[in-house]
């Protein structure tokens, strides 16, 4: 991106993956998502975030996580995968700084519950956050419920935020997972953004990168919206690659043709 930044007079990459939370574009869905998540967490329940690939689920999760004050919440963040309940327990323990080599599930569960209660005794709420939760085996979902409940299921202690693709909802609707699903109080589905939001989104990123002019033409913005289906990750890829196509021609404005060329370079 160095040559592209130089060509367009940009100070930094306009579409980075590691953008600071404070610089994120305030998507219309973020505020209601934050409200639902905090309501569920306040009730010691479960909040679910779903969306298509590239719809901004993980970014939205990062945004919400940044809103939890460290003095009130302890976040236990893991990424889902095709692993067993035992491997899940190990990941949770590693988040607590505990390297546990025991192969006894009952011992690991007891240790996790002990730590959770210790956190709660300090008037701090432990929050389990699982990104890519749709990748978890169904057996893992059936076990998650047992970790968070105490005193004969009358004292919920650890709320959860589960984030993933629509398959996550299928897992939660399974009969074996109903005890966990019954704790869901907030459901958030991230939709593709509209055309007018796409224009604001692209211009927001250009401003952050140091641009003083609107590099994307109206036709290019329309083409990016159409080509991405309103999904942010693909829009970012189209925008970056269209910048490259324009720079290679020596131009300083992105046209719909540049976006068309960009669409042939990405999957």
């Amino acid at each position: 991106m160095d040559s592209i930044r130089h060509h367009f007079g940009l100070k930094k990459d306009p579409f980075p993956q590691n953008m600071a939370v404070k610089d994120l574009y305030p998507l219309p869905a973020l505020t209601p998502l934050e409200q639902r998540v905090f309501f569920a967490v306040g009730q010691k329940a479960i909040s679910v975030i779903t969306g298509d690939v590239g719809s901004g689920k993980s970014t939205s999760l990062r945004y919400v996580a940044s809103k939890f004050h460290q003095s009130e919440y302890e976040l236990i963040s893991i990424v889902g995968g095709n692993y067993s309940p035992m491997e899940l327990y190990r990941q949770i323990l590693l988040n607590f700084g505990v390297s546990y080599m025991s192969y006894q599930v009952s011992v690991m569960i007891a240790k996790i519950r002990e730590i959770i209660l210790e956190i709660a005794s300090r008037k701090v709420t432990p929050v389990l956050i699982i990104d890519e939760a749709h990748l978890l085996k169904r057996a893992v979902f059936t076990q998650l419920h047992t970790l968070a409940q105490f005193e004969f299921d009358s004292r919920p202690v650890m709320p959860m935020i589960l984030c993933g693709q629509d398959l996550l909802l299928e897992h939660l609707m399974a009969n074996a997972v109903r005890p966990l699903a019954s704790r869901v109080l907030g459901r958030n589905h991230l939709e593709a953004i509209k055309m007018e939001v796409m224009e604001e989104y692209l211009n927001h990123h250009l401003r952050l990168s140091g641009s003083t002019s609107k590099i994307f033409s109206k036709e290019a913005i329309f083409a990016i919206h159409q080509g991405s289906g309103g999904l942010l990750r693909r829009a970012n890829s189209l925008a970056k690659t269209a910048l490259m196509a324009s720079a290679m021609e020596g131009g300083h404005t992105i046209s719909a043709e540049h976006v068309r060329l960009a669409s042939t370079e990405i999957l």
Side-chain angles (χ1 to χ4, degrees), residues 7 34 51 126 154 200 211 250:
H7 179 81
E34 179 185 349
S154 65
E200 293 173 3
S211 174

Side-chain angles (χ1 to χ4, degrees), residues 1-15 206 209-211 215-216 236-254 262:
M1 291 293 292
D2 287 343
S3 60
I4 295 175
R5 286 198 299 268
H6 178 74
H7 179 81
F8 288 100
L10 305 178
K11 295 178 181 177
K12 54 185 179 180
D13 182 354
F15 302 99
L206 287 176
S209 68
S211 174
I215 297 174
F216 292 95
N236 289 348
S237 297
L238 282 172
K240 284 195 287 189
T241 312
L243 284 169
M244 179 183 70
S246 178
M248 289 174 66
E249 291 181 355
H252 288 83
T253 302
I254 311 303

Side-chain angles (χ1 to χ4, degrees), residues 217-263:
S217 67
K218 288 282 187 180
E219 295 77 14
I221 293 171
F222 180 79
I224 289 173
H225 185 260
Q226 290 292 100
S228 66
L231 297 176
L232 300 179
R233 186 184 302 160
R234 186 170 177 83
N236 289 348
S237 297
L238 282 172
K240 284 195 287 189
T241 312
L243 284 169
M244 179 183 70
S246 178
M248 289 174 66
E249 291 181 355
H252 288 83
T253 302
I254 311 303
S255 67
E257 177 61 17
H258 294 133
V259 178
R260 187 195 69 77
L261 290 171
S263 68

Side-chain angles (χ1 to χ4, degrees), residues 45-56:
I46 299 172
S47 184
V48 175
I49 302 171
T50 56
D52 289 334
V53 175
S55 60

Side-chain angles (χ1 to χ4, degrees), residues 40-94:
V41 169
Q43 298 296 310
K44 302 294 193 295
I46 299 172
S47 184
V48 175
I49 302 171
T50 56
D52 289 334
V53 175
S55 60
K57 297 184 298 300
S58 296
T59 300
S60 299
L61 192 60
R62 188 160 60 94
Y63 168 82
V64 170
S66 73
K67 300 297 181 179
F68 288 100
H69 200 282
Q70 291 182 346
S71 65
E72 300 178 50
Y73 302 94
E74 182 162 335
L75 305 185
I76 307 129
S77 301
I78 64 176
V79 178
N82 188 32
Y83 39 72
S84 66
M86 181 180 293
E87 290 167 327
L88 172 75
Y89 301 146
R90 282 213 174 90
Q91 286 203 44
I92 293 174
L93 286 167
L94 284 171

Side-chain angles (χ1 to χ4, degrees), residues 68-77 95-96 115 118-119 122 124-128 158:
F68 288 100
H69 200 282
Q70 291 182 346
S71 65
E72 300 178 50
Y73 302 94
E74 182 162 335
L75 305 185
I76 307 129
S77 301
N95 264 267
F96 290 133
I115 296 172
E118 188 278 325
I119 294 171
R122 295 188 267 113
V124 174
T125 302
V127 182
L128 178 62
M158 184 175 66

